[in-house]
Amino acid sequence: GKNNTIAKEIKPIIKRLAEIDSLIAKCAPDWPIDKLNKIDLAILRLAIYELRVEKKNPHKVIIDEAVELAKQYGSQNSSKFVNGVLGAALKEKNADR
């Protein structure tokens, strides 16, 4: 059923959660993970997974989608915040090539 599909998509993200969260922490140094707005955190986790692990879509597409989600579901500053963190994450990403 639908829940299985969701679980299947989330499992690989959860497997990499420590790695993803440490990248978020590095890219948002002013914000401890546990202080982040839950929606922003979920959006960042998904986007960073897509950027670093899945790599199916162009970076710009992934970031634009994340920013749109943040605008729709987050708080007033979410979209700016998500954009900034993901921009920093991309720079980190290129550093380890």
Side-chain angles (χ1 to χ4, degrees), residues 51-91:
L51 286 171
R52 290 190 75 120
V53 182
E54 217 175 45
K55 300 177 181 166
K56 275 190 205 155
N57 293 308
H59 296 159
K60 187 177 175 347
V61 172
I62 295 170
I63 292 175
D64 285 351
E65 275 180 9
V67 168
E68 273 312 304
L69 285 171
K71 274 185 192 153
Q72 246 180 319
Y73 300 105
S75 62
Q76 208 178 347
N77 300 315
S78 291
S79 57
K80 244 195 206 129
F81 176 70
V82 163
N83 194 30
V85 174
L86 293 177
L90 268 187
K91 289 195 185 88

